[in-house]
């Protein structure tokens, strides 16, 4: 099977075999072999050979290829949404929005390129001062399985726009999505070597990340892997590493009059994509009050009514399957562990069908647990904390090594101002779900969630480095020389 794209040629993998499975029914979606180390080397060589020529192209030519890609995405949107749904288990309505986000990324990245990394010219006596931006060179891009199209695309598009060339290593759980993405780039007229695709499991990732001839690595994935990469990059200050990782995101609810609206925003925050978004609310803080009781009661009944079904069901479900049966069972086990620590199940998260990734959404009250693990449970399980005092809820919300997203549902603007000043996260929302971040804003977290290299609108920043120049079209002697200097 032709799996890897090197220098615009498809290659059969020479490494270990692997496959992807449709988590809704256990069907094999894709089979192939990963790369071996020689193939990873060849991909990097191809990217290196193509880089100068690509960066030398007039910007308009690079943009034209990106726009062709957006047109290809539009033309093949339904086919692509179907492929993503089959490989991830996400509902079709949602994978259609993923393809839409990929298409929109092109125009947003062009705008960001000009605004954040364009050329600035300032006059100065006898010369001009310029700020320009240059590409790093060859960058490795690693993607996760939950948005196998949109999130790698959020690195690839700004990277090549800036003049870098890329070696892309997708999640081993979503190889078909990656292959289809590259087939659209080829149709868009991508020159050879500009984006190379290497597929495989961890060994492929390790061979690429540790390669001496990459100039940087842009990563979206788990905090564990991101931390490993950070260690690996220690001692290489010349290489740029951009890390987008997970979160243990808090959502605090306080004094809301529209209880149904609050429940809606909690569900959108906690359960969209079966809880498999890095921005999902993992910890829900609800006041111990009549208002808090009413919100929790409505949340419990609405959660029990959430429709979980196949990606292609005629009546579209809110949630599809999780990425794999292993992930689904992992969530069941996480729930059991919390129960063993003293948590109380309010709505049980259950695997709905053996051999699949289908789980029902769960809510668990963890207020009485004293040794809560600071872990990202990457699935549809909301952990409820009942609180009596707003400030202690904010302190507990900040009691995490992560800092990706956070939110407050409250009718009071004063409460929000207070919360915004104190909460530590890269995305902080008020009376809106904490998922669904815009590509037109910076996106990233602090602490164990990232390394201050925000993506989305700010991805332009890590795709190029600034060059400051003072320029004059001829050398000229200054009118006044420095003391002690005589030039005759
Ligand atoms: N902050 C964000 O923007 C963001 C977005 C989506 C997902 N995520 C996070 O991603 C996670 C889910 O995605 P995932 O499970 O695919 O992540 P993951 O870390 O398992 O995998 C991400 C990529 O890294 C590769 N990889 C894994 N181990 C490696 C190693 N030792 N060396 C080199 N490469 C390696 C994988 O093959 C994959 O391509 C969640 O934690 C989620 O919060 C973060
Ligand atoms: O799973 C993590 C991504 C979640 C998603 N964020 C974005 O799409 C950020 C915007 C971008 O990268 O263009 C979300 O917040 O739902």
């Amino acid at each position: 099977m032709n799996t890897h794209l090197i220098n615009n040629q498809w290659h059969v993998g020479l490494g270990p075999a692997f496959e992807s499975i449709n988590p809704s029914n256990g069907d094999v979606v894709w089979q192939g072999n990963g790369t071996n180390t020689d193939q990873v080397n060849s991909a990097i060589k191809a990217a290196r050979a193509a880089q100068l020529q690509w960066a030398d192209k007039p910007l308009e030519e690079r943009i034209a290829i990106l726009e062709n890609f957006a047109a290809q995405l539009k033309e093949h949107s339904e086919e692509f949404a179907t492929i993503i749904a089959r490989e991830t288990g996400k509902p079709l309505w949602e994978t259609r929005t993923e393809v839409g986000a990929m298409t929109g990324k092109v125009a947003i990245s062009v705008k960001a390129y000009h605004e954040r990394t364009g050329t600035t010219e300032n006059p100065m006596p006898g010369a001009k001062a310029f700020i320009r931006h240059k590409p790093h060179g060859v960058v490795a891009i690693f993607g996760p399985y939950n948005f196998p199209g949109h999130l790698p695309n959020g690195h690839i598009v700004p990277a090549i726009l800036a003049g870098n060339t890329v070696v892309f290593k997708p999640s081993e759980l979503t190889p078909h999505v990656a292959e289809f993405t590259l087939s659209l780039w080829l149709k868009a007229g991508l020159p050879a070597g500009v984006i190379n695709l290497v597929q495989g499991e961890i060994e492929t990732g390790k061979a690429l990340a540790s390669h001496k001839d990459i100039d940087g690595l842009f990563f979206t994935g788990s905090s564990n892997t991101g931390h490993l990469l950070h260690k690996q990059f220690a001692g290489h200050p010349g290489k740029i590493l951009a890390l987008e990782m997970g979160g243990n995101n808090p959502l605090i609810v306080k004094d809301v009059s529209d209880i149904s609206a609050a429940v809606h925003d909690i569900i959108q925050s906690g359960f969209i994509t079966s809880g498999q978004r890095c921005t999902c609310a993992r910890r829900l803080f609800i006041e111990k009050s009549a208002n808090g009781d009413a919100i929790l009661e409505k949340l419990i009944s609405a959660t029990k009514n959430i429709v979980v079904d196949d990606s292609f069901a005629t009546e579209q479900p809110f949630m599809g399957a999780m990425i794999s049966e292993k992930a689904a069972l992992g969530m069941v086990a996480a729930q059991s562990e919390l129960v063993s620590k003293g948590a109380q199940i309010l709505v049980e998260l259950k695997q709905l069908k053996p051999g699949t990734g289908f789980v029902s959404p769960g809510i668990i009250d963890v207020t009485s647990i004293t040794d809560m693990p600071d872990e990202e449970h990457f699935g549809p399980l909301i952990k409820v904390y009942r609180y009596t005092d707003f400030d202690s809820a904010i302190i507990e919300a900040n009691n995490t090594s992560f800092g990706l997203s956070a939110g407050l549902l409250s009718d009071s603007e004063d409460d929000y101002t207070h919360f915004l000043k104190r909460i530590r996260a890269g995305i902080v929302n008020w009376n809106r779900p904490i998922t669904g971040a815009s590509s037109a804003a910076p996106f990233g977290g602090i602490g164990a969630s990232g390394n201050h290299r925000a993506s989305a609108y700010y991805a332009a920043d890590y795709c190029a480095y600034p060059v400051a120049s003072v320029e004059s079209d001829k050398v000229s002697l200054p009118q006044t020389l420095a003391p002690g200097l005589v030039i005759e």
Side-chain angles (χ1 to χ4, degrees), residues 224-270:
N224 277 348
T225 310
H227 278 74
L228 283 177
L229 292 171
H230 194 253
K231 281 189 192 139
Q232 205 170 309
F233 273 61
H236 297 281
K239 293 187 190 222
I240 182 144
L241 178 66
L243 298 173
E244 294 299 331
M245 304 181 282
N248 191 7
N249 312 309
L251 177 60
I252 301 185
V253 191
K254 181 177 185 289
D255 301 330
V256 290
S257 45
D258 190 338
I259 290 178
S260 297
V263 165
H264 172 267
D265 285 0
I266 295 167
I267 287 176
Q268 284 286 344
S269 300

Side-chain angles (χ1 to χ4, degrees), residues 405-428:
S405 66
L408 175 70
L409 303 179
S410 163
D411 292 348
S412 156
E413 189 168 355
D414 286 348
D415 281 346
Y416 179 59
T417 308
H418 189 78
F419 175 75
L420 181 59
K421 279 194 183 144
R422 285 159 184 77
I423 198 73
R424 287 179 47 75
I427 295 135
V428 181

Side-chain angles (χ1 to χ4, degrees), residues 122-297:
N122 290 312
M124 58 184 292
K128 284 178 187 162
F130 285 94
I131 303 168
R132 299 190 182 91
H133 293 83
K134 286 207 206 175
H136 297 291
V138 174
V139 295
I141 291 179
F142 284 70
Y145 64 75
N146 64 335
F147 281 96
H150 167 52
L151 291 173
N153 189 58
H155 295 304
I156 292 172
V157 168
I160 66 168
L161 175 60
N164 300 284
T165 52
V166 165
V167 180
F168 169 35
K169 152 73 178 83
S171 165
E172 56 272 39
L173 300 176
T174 52
H176 192 201
V177 173
E179 204 177 281
F180 192 76
T181 307
L182 267 293
S183 75
L184 296 186
W185 276 113
L186 290 184
K187 286 189 175 132
L190 185 82
V194 174
I195 308 175
N196 303 274
L197 170 68
V198 293
Q199 304 245 31
E201 299 185 291
I202 285 179
E203 290 317 312
T204 300
K206 284 185 176 162
L208 177 57
S210 62
H211 203 286
K212 64 176 178 13
D213 200 28
I214 55 170
D215 299 301
L217 191 154
F218 308 158
F219 171 82
T220 300
S222 66
S223 196
N224 277 348
T225 310
H227 278 74
L228 283 177
L229 292 171
H230 194 253
K231 281 189 192 139
Q232 205 170 309
F233 273 61
H236 297 281
K239 293 187 190 222
I240 182 144
L241 178 66
L243 298 173
E244 294 299 331
M245 304 181 282
N248 191 7
N249 312 309
L251 177 60
I252 301 185
V253 191
K254 181 177 185 289
D255 301 330
V256 290
S257 45
D258 190 338
I259 290 178
S260 297
V263 165
H264 172 267
D265 285 0
I266 295 167
I267 287 176
Q268 284 286 344
S269 300
F271 296 142
I272 193 161
T273 322
S274 301
Q276 299 168 112
R277 287 198 189 195
C278 53
T279 42
C280 274
R282 308 293 173 204
R283 296 176 295 144
L284 177 66
F285 294 83
I286 298 187
E287 200 171 14
K288 276 190 191 158
S289 63
N291 184 253
D293 289 348
I295 290 166
L296 190 53
E297 197 181 313

Side-chain angles (χ1 to χ4, degrees), residues 286-317:
I286 298 187
E287 200 171 14
K288 276 190 191 158
S289 63
N291 184 253
D293 289 348
I295 290 166
L296 190 53
E297 197 181 313
K298 196 159 218 165
L299 175 65
I300 289 172
S301 70
T303 298
K304 287 179 178 162
N305 288 333
I306 286 176
V307 178
V308 185
D309 203 348
D310 190 84
S311 315
F312 303 100
T314 316
E315 292 286 317
Q316 280 280 281

